[in-house]
C-alpha cells in the first residue's frame, strides 16, 4: 500500500516579480545573481536551514538559497535558476518512508491528492506568468508522461514553468518548478524555437 501526496509552496505575485527581476540579469554572472538574490532577501540555504524552524523536518532538499516563503532555490552563476513549488509523490516505505515535504516551513501537503491537484497548482503559476508576460512562446504537453512545459523568451533569459519526473526519483515523485535559463549560457539546457520543442517532446 502507498499513500499519495501533493505538496506545495505557493507562488504569489511578489515572487513572480522577484523572479522576473532576476531574469533581467546575466545569469552567468555569479556576482550579479548573488547581489540580486540578496536584494530579494533570500538567505543562503546553509544559514536558513540551521534555524529553529527546520529542527523537526525529516529532510531538507539541497539548494543554494531559500525564499522567505520557503521555496528552495538553486542559483550558482551557471546560467540557470531553479525554484520548485510543488511535488507529487508516494510514501510507500521505499525511497520515501515518510512525508518529507509537508513538515518543511512554508510547505503544506495533502494526503490523497494526485494529478488533478498537482496540475491545478501548476496551472495557477502558469497563469501568473501569463498575466505578466502575455501568451507563452511554447506550451508543450506530453500526455504520455503527464508533463507540460510552458516558456517565455525574454531579452536575456528563457522563463520556463515545467513539470516532470524529478531526475533522482526513479519516477517515485515529480516536481513542478520555475526555471530561468540564460540565453547566452554555453550548453544551455533549453535551446530556442523548434530545437526546444524537439528536445522536450523526444
Amino acid at each position: 500500500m502507498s499513500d499519495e501526496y501533493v505538496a506545495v509552496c505557493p507562488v504569489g505575485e511578489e515572487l513572480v516579480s522577484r523572479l522576473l527581476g532576476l531574469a533581467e540579469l546575466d545569469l552567468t554572472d555569479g556576482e550579479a545573481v548573488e547581489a540580486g538574490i540578496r536584494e530579494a532577501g533570500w538567505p543562503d540555504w546553509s544559514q536558513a536551514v540551521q534555524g529553529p524552524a527546520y529542527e523537526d523536518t525529516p529532510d531538507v532538499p539541497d539548494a543554494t538559497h531559500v525564499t522567505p516563503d520557503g521555496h528552495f532555490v538553486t542559483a550558482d552563476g551557471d546560467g540557470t535558476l531553479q525554484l520548485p513549488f510543488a511535488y507529487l509523490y508516494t510514501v510507500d516505505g521505499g525511497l520515501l518512508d515518510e512525508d518529507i515535504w509537508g513538515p518543511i516551513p512554508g510547505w503544506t501537503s495533502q494526503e490523497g491528492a494526485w494529478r488533478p491537484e498537482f496540475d491545478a497548482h501548476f496551472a495557477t503559476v502558469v497563469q501568473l506568468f501569463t498575466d505578466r508576460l502575455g501568451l507563452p512562446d511554447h506550451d508543450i504537453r506530453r500526455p504520455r508522461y503527464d508533463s507540460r512545459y510552458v516558456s517565455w523568451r525574454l531579452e536575456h533569459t528563457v522563463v520556463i514553468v515545467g513539470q516532470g519526473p524529478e531526475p533522482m526519483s526513479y519516477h517515485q515523485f515529480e516536481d513542478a518548478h520555475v526555471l530561468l535559463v540564460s540565453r547566452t549560457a554555453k550548453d544551455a539546457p533549453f535551446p530556442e524555437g523548434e530545437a526546444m520543442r524537439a528536445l522536450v517532446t523526444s
Side-chain angles (χ1 to χ4, degrees), residues 7-200:
V8 63
C9 189
V11 173
E13 292 183 3
E14 181 179 350
L15 180 56
V16 169
S17 294
R18 290 290 189 187
L19 289 167
L20 292 178
L22 290 166
E24 295 177 357
L25 303 175
D26 177 359
L27 297 179
T28 64
D29 183 341
E31 291 184 4
V33 172
E34 186 63 31
I37 287 175
R38 281 198 306 271
E39 183 179 338
W42 300 354
D44 288 344
W45 176 90
S46 58
Q47 296 173 348
V49 300
Q50 295 302 317
Y54 290 88
E55 287 180 356
D56 297 325
T57 57
D59 195 10
V60 179
D62 287 333
T64 59
H65 300 84
V66 181
T67 73
D69 294 325
H71 304 91
F72 294 94
V73 179
T74 301
D76 50 19
D78 68 348
T80 65
L81 182 150
Q82 185 171 15
L83 180 149
F85 60 85
Y87 285 95
L88 175 152
Y89 53 103
T90 58
V91 176
D92 61 3
L95 289 176
L96 297 180
D97 57 9
E98 60 184 321
D99 177 9
I100 64 171
W101 280 285
I104 294 176
W107 289 76
T108 57
S109 62
Q110 181 181 354
E111 186 176 2
W114 200 239
R115 178 66 52 183
E117 292 83 0
F118 182 69
D119 287 345
H121 291 301
F122 181 86
T124 296
V125 177
V126 168
Q127 188 60 53
L128 285 170
F129 279 96
T130 300
D131 291 344
R132 294 291 298 275
L133 300 174
L135 293 176
D137 294 293
H138 293 284
D139 188 343
I140 302 169
R141 300 168 191 258
R142 299 195 299 174
R144 178 179 176 186
Y145 300 104
D146 289 318
S147 61
R148 182 180 174 198
Y149 298 84
V150 184
S151 68
W152 293 262
R153 189 171 57 250
L154 307 183
E155 182 178 0
H156 302 291
T157 306
V158 177
V159 176
I160 299 167
V161 182
Q163 60 180 181
E166 198 280 337
M168 298 303 292
S169 72
Y170 300 97
H171 295 257
Q172 186 171 0
F173 62 87
E174 300 181 21
D175 73 9
H177 54 268
V178 178
L179 179 64
L180 307 182
V181 182
S182 170
R183 295 179 63 189
T184 60
K186 183 179 179 182
D187 301 324
F190 288 93
E192 297 180 21
E194 289 307 311
M196 177 180 168
R197 181 178 294 278
L199 173 67
V200 301

